[in-house]
Amino acid sequence: MEFQSILSAASGGHGLAVNPWASVAYLVAGVLFILALRGLSSPATAQAGNRFGMAGMLIAVVTTLLTHAPATVDGALDTIGLVEILVAIGIGAVIGIVMARRIAMTAMPQLVAAFHSLVGLAAVAVAAAAYLNPQAFGIADAAGEIFTVSRIEMGLGIAIGAITFSGSVIAFLKLNGNMSGSPIMLPGRHIINLGTLAAIIGLVAYFTFDQSPWVFWTVTGLSFAIGFLLIIPIGGADMPVVVSMLNSYSGWAAAAMGFTLGNTAMIITGALVGSSGAILSYIMCRAMNRSFISVIAGGFGADAGPSDGGSKEQRPWKPGSAEDAAFLMSQADTVIIVPGYGMAVAQAQHALREMADQLKKEGVTVKYAIHPVAGRMPGHMNVLLAEANVPYDEVFELEDINGEFAQADVAFVIGANDVTNPSAKTDKTSPIYGMPVLDVEKAKTVLFVKRSMGGVGYAGVDNDVFYMDQTMMLLGDAKKMADDIVKALSGSGH
């Protein structure tokens, strides 16, 4: 009976918690989420940020279970329903722990995209459940008429959730290699997209007057479709922005469903995720000299043709070896390392750090230059370098280090193509024209680690740096090349 009295005091209409202790708990969870975001802004505080986020989510989940525990018709605790919820939580926890332990860092971007898709699908499921049984959610009158404000929340939640789900599925397939990273251009895509979006907005507005099933399910279907249509034409070089954008969408979907459920924690969390994702997307678009609308409308790589790669083998380039690279870097005063997705694929970050440690023993100043969209998601390179225990004070963003390449003796590029391509500054026909890039070509010597001369970057364009007089191409697996350089620096390679 004591438990029933707690539930009865803690829950009210529209699923809103009126117990002041529940409100305080949600407020504490919200503060912890804010501290988590603050902590995740720097690799040095990222672990503490994760712990804040975990603590906040634990408080939010426990509070929600206490205030919204399933009850039978006579008001008693529904033990079977509670066990089902706990079992579902347990299954999800086991899956999450196993995935977190087994996932490779190279697969982190597609894992993030997959998680976004699940958030979107959850929002769709909650909206559908609320629509099919509105009185159980406290969002309808005795006759089953859904309140107008709840229809708005439900319509927005299901639209954003469905777009997030289908868009994230396409992003996952592109990132995972199941679908080409090149843009897939549908005829008349802009007209189709605008027409579909207009139809969704119009039907959501009409839903406030008519809650007929055809309206609800049509909005759902069109939203799933527009998610596919929006992401398919976006090229691989824009994937970091897409991942950030979908992160924002998942937050807004959760916030909308928080209003429907009357759950303060969901509203706070969704708003934090949605706003931070939107801000990050804006920052990244500025870093790429792209407008957010241009990314959504098509992105990089739209105009790159096969001719970009057709003449690469006919242009002269200078091959080199690990021993050559070791000698040049050991004689240098300053070496700037530029990591890219090729480093991530080869899992070369640990060998790279060993190479840097050897160089520092030789008295060489070593710095790392990070482009904001290097890799396949925001902060991808920072995470990899942090995993390899690279000192944070050696890692610099583009705007902080780009002016130093002209004074550097060696620029060591390991698997980064698009973000070092000077055609972005000079060639108006290039699909990456206008994107700020790292000025590696200004260094006295450029050592470029690449698997082969036959491939191009994710944006599908060749890099003129390969063929410059000061560039030495180090062809092969990035990890093996870094290991060989370490051996050569230590003397065992001679």
Side-chain angles (χ1 to χ4, degrees), residues 363-429:
V364 180
T365 300
V366 178
K367 297 181 179 181
Y368 296 81
I370 307 298
H371 193 282
V373 295
R376 295 294 181 267
M377 73 174 187
H380 198 182
M381 296 301 105
N382 302 78
V383 171
L384 291 173
L385 295 179
E387 182 197 19
N389 295 318
V390 171
Y392 304 131
D393 58 358
E394 294 178 5
V395 181
F396 298 88
E397 299 297 328
L398 178 146
E399 62 272 14
D400 298 322
I401 200 170
N402 224 16
E404 297 187 28
F405 281 103
Q407 288 78 44
D409 296 296
V410 176
F412 185 84
V413 185
I414 179 166
N417 186 9
D418 298 329
V419 298
T420 62
N421 197 330
S423 68
K425 297 178 286 186
T426 59
D427 185 3
K428 293 185 178 181
T429 65

Side-chain angles (χ1 to χ4, degrees), residues 182 301-314 431 454-456 459-462:
S182 300
D303 302 318
S307 60
D308 290 329
S311 62
K312 293 194 305 296
E313 298 295 343
Q314 300 174 9
V456 293
V461 290
D462 197 15

Side-chain angles (χ1 to χ4, degrees), residues 19-42:
N19 188 325
W21 290 110
S23 299
V24 170
Y26 283 143
L27 179 61
V28 171
V31 171
L32 288 171
F33 291 144
I34 293 172
L35 292 174
L37 286 175
R38 180 183 176 86
L40 293 172
S41 63
S42 169

Side-chain angles (χ1 to χ4, degrees), residues 12-16 130-131 133-156 204-211 216 259-262:
H14 197 57
L16 284 171
Y131 176 75
N133 193 7
Q135 290 171 321
F137 285 77
I139 60 174
D141 57 23
E145 189 75 13
I146 301 174
F147 303 132
T148 301
V149 66
S150 296
R151 295 189 201 182
I152 296 172
E153 298 161 1
M154 191 183 301
L156 291 175
V204 169
Y206 181 69
F207 185 59
T208 61
F209 301 99
D210 182 359
Q211 66 179 60
F216 181 84
F259 281 106
T260 297
L261 297 175

Side-chain angles (χ1 to χ4, degrees), residues 94-147:
V94 170
I95 294 173
I97 291 171
V98 171
M99 290 181 68
R101 289 184 176 275
R102 293 186 178 181
I103 195 72
M105 289 304 299
T106 51
M108 195 60 66
Q110 48 264 51
L111 177 67
V112 172
F115 283 165
H116 291 164
S117 73
L118 294 178
V119 175
L121 190 60
V124 172
V126 170
Y131 176 75
L132 295 173
N133 193 7
Q135 290 171 321
F137 285 77
I139 60 174
D141 57 23
E145 189 75 13
I146 301 174
F147 303 132

Side-chain angles (χ1 to χ4, degrees), residues 207-230:
F207 185 59
T208 61
F209 301 99
D210 182 359
Q211 66 179 60
S212 299
W214 76 266
V215 181
F216 181 84
W217 296 116
T218 301
V219 169
T220 306
L222 289 176
S223 300
F224 278 126
I226 195 62
F228 287 115
L229 294 172
L230 285 174

